[in-house]
Amino acid sequence: MNAQELWIEQLIARRTLSPAARGMSAAEAADQYNAANGLQPDDADYLVPPRSGTTVIRTSMHELNPVERHALHEAMQFDLIELDQHGHPIVRDFADKYVGTYDTFRDYVIQHAESVGLLDGVSDEVKRYFSWYGYERDMAVGHTVLGAADYRVHVFRDL
């Protein structure tokens, strides 16, 4: 099972997508969900399908790589992740909120804009006037950014 199929299965298990999504590509399933719910790219519930080679959502502490473990530790320090009755992090909560680790928040914003096709079909002349600063500011409203190793940042969705 590839990352896109696993993504669809996880969203079906969470009852975000219907089982009919199994016959679709991740992009088709996300497009159908977003259209059916009237969601726009800046909405918190907007689905962005994983691209080829994207990290698969983890469900157990043992499946986290070192960067993800560091992100989890940092998120726990700032009470971003729910804990179970024993005080252990709920990895599913982490997986739902953790977007990834990037050189800068702007790098995440640009990748997100490209993945949703924000400027697809827009003329080069209009693209020159697009305010990345404004878009980054707007995206920051729904996200928390924490420091990572090597002056990078961990990005989390505010759910």
Side-chain angles (χ1 to χ4, degrees):
M1 184 177 291
N2 66 37
Q4 293 189 8
E5 291 168 335
L6 183 57
W7 180 79
I8 288 172
E9 289 300 322
Q10 289 172 335
L11 290 175
I12 290 170
R14 284 191 262 170
R15 298 178 187 215
T16 301
L17 295 177
S18 77
R22 286 190 180 104
M24 301 177 183
S25 70
E28 291 168 334
D31 288 346
Q32 184 181 56
Y33 174 85
N34 293 331
N37 291 288
L39 299 174
Q40 298 298 314
D42 57 341
D43 292 328
D45 293 336
Y46 186 86
L47 290 183
V48 178
R51 294 188 295 189
S52 298
T54 300
T55 302
V56 174
I57 295 173
R58 311 296 190 214
T59 58
S60 121
M61 282 285 283
H62 303 293
E63 295 175 330
L64 299 177
N65 66 41
V67 172
E68 292 167 331
R69 280 195 293 276
H70 183 267
L72 175 63
H73 175 75
E74 290 298 309
M76 289 172 60
Q77 297 297 315
F78 288 89
D79 294 324
L80 297 180
I81 305 302
E82 291 182 41
L83 304 177
D84 65 16
Q85 68 269 21
H86 305 291
H88 298 112
I90 298 174
V91 178
R92 167 58 57 197
D93 187 47
F94 169 75
D96 288 343
K97 294 177 181 177
Y98 179 64
V99 175
T101 300
Y102 299 86
D103 289 334
T104 65
F105 183 65
R106 166 79 53 107
D107 288 340
Y108 162 68
V109 169
I110 291 169
Q111 179 188 357
H112 173 77
E114 290 172 352
S115 71
V116 300
L118 183 70
L119 297 176
D120 289 356
V122 176
S123 72
D124 289 339
E125 186 174 339
V126 173
K127 284 180 186 178
R128 282 195 297 264
Y129 291 98
F130 181 76
S131 172
W132 283 105
Y133 171 78
Y135 188 66
E136 180 179 1
R137 181 193 62 228
D138 292 349
M139 289 283 292
V141 171
H143 294 82
T144 298
V145 179
L146 302 176
D150 299 324
Y151 304 101
R152 299 180 78 203
V153 296
H154 299 301
V155 180
F156 296 86
R157 284 182 207 87
D158 297 337
L159 301 176

